[in-house]
Amino acid sequence: AQTVTQSQPEMSVQEAETVTLSCTYDTSESDYYLFWYKQPPSRQMILVIRQEAYKQQNATENRFSVNFQKAAKSFSLKISDSQLGDAAMYFCAYRSAGFGNEKLTFGTGTRLTIIP
Amino acid sequence: DAGVIQSPRHEVTEMGQEVTLRCKPISGHDYLFWYRQTMMRGLELLIYFNNNVPIDDSGMPEDRFSAKMPNASFSTLKIQPSEPRDSAVYFCASSLRGQESVYTFGSGTRLTVV
């Protein structure tokens, strides 16, 4: 079974600075998807960024980028120019690319605080 | 599209009562998932459906929980009888196979059992 580990329960960053959230995962599969979801106090789960395992290029979405290290099974999220609206819980998630196994497995989350 | 719609947003009930949570997935999506979020256990998959058929219900905690999907546009999660330990936020999500494997979540139902 796949597992996702987020070792940082809480992180804080000064507004406009850069912060990196860590995520590691364990799998025996070669093809899969990785995601970062944001959950603000409104509790809505919002997709931040996704990465296909077969793509070597790291995904980017505006101020959000990932560092995907497949051999190390590491998938960190970098937030540049942090803004107050980035304050939220961030969840790393894994999904198999194989047909018949559609479940999304989540890490325990990292609570990000933005310091004005 | 209005997204995944869940109701109610909040539910407070007494122990022993029946509770029904509702979900309307995004039109055209063929997968529907029910997740539960608690402080202690994080986000857990309870059950998911493909084309209205339950595929994996191994996460359903016990017989008090049941889920149905009578058609492509509606699903329910029922707890009977409810217990205080069922207090959690319950999320519904839907996806379309092949659509870049993206899940869309509803805004969740916060259930409190007193």
Side-chain angles (χ1 to χ4, degrees), chain A residues 33 50 95 102, chain B residues 30-31 95-102:
Chain A
Y33 301 94
R50 66 188 288 275
R95 175 174 175 168
E102 308 297 325
Chain B
D30 55 355
Y31 285 89
S95 72
L96 177 63
R97 180 70 184 175
Q99 192 192 37
E100 302 182 325
S101 298
V102 173

Side-chain angles (χ1 to χ4, degrees), chain B:
Chain B
D1 199 313
V4 176
I5 300 172
Q6 289 187 247
S7 64
R9 183 160 174 80
H10 303 279
E11 176 79 38
V12 180
T13 191
E14 292 185 347
M15 183 174 62
Q17 296 297 306
E18 176 181 301
V19 176
T20 299
L21 311 182
R22 298 172 175 80
C23 176
K24 176 179 169 57
I26 290 176
S27 178
H29 279 191
D30 55 355
Y31 285 89
L32 183 139
F33 307 82
W34 282 100
Y35 278 84
R36 178 172 68 175
Q37 184 178 32
T38 60
M39 288 293 293
M40 291 299 295
R41 300 175 68 89
L43 281 152
E44 306 173 274
L45 176 67
L46 299 177
I47 185 171
Y48 76 90
F49 297 83
N50 176 220
N51 291 324
N52 314 338
V53 176
I55 302 300
D56 182 354
D57 65 354
S58 59
M60 296 286 264
E62 49 198 272
D63 291 345
R64 297 185 299 106
F65 285 69
S66 62
K68 294 182 180 179
M69 193 165 185
N71 57 62
S73 59
F74 184 64
S75 177
T76 59
L77 178 67
K78 183 181 293 186
I79 308 172
Q80 180 185 24
S82 57
E83 297 182 2
R85 60 190 168 125
D86 301 330
S87 298
V89 177
Y90 292 81
F91 285 101
C92 176
S94 71
S95 72
L96 177 63
R97 180 70 184 175
Q99 192 192 37
E100 302 182 325
S101 298
V102 173
Y103 281 40
T104 302
F105 283 79
S107 56
T109 295
R110 179 176 294 281
L111 173 65
T112 302
V113 184
V114 298

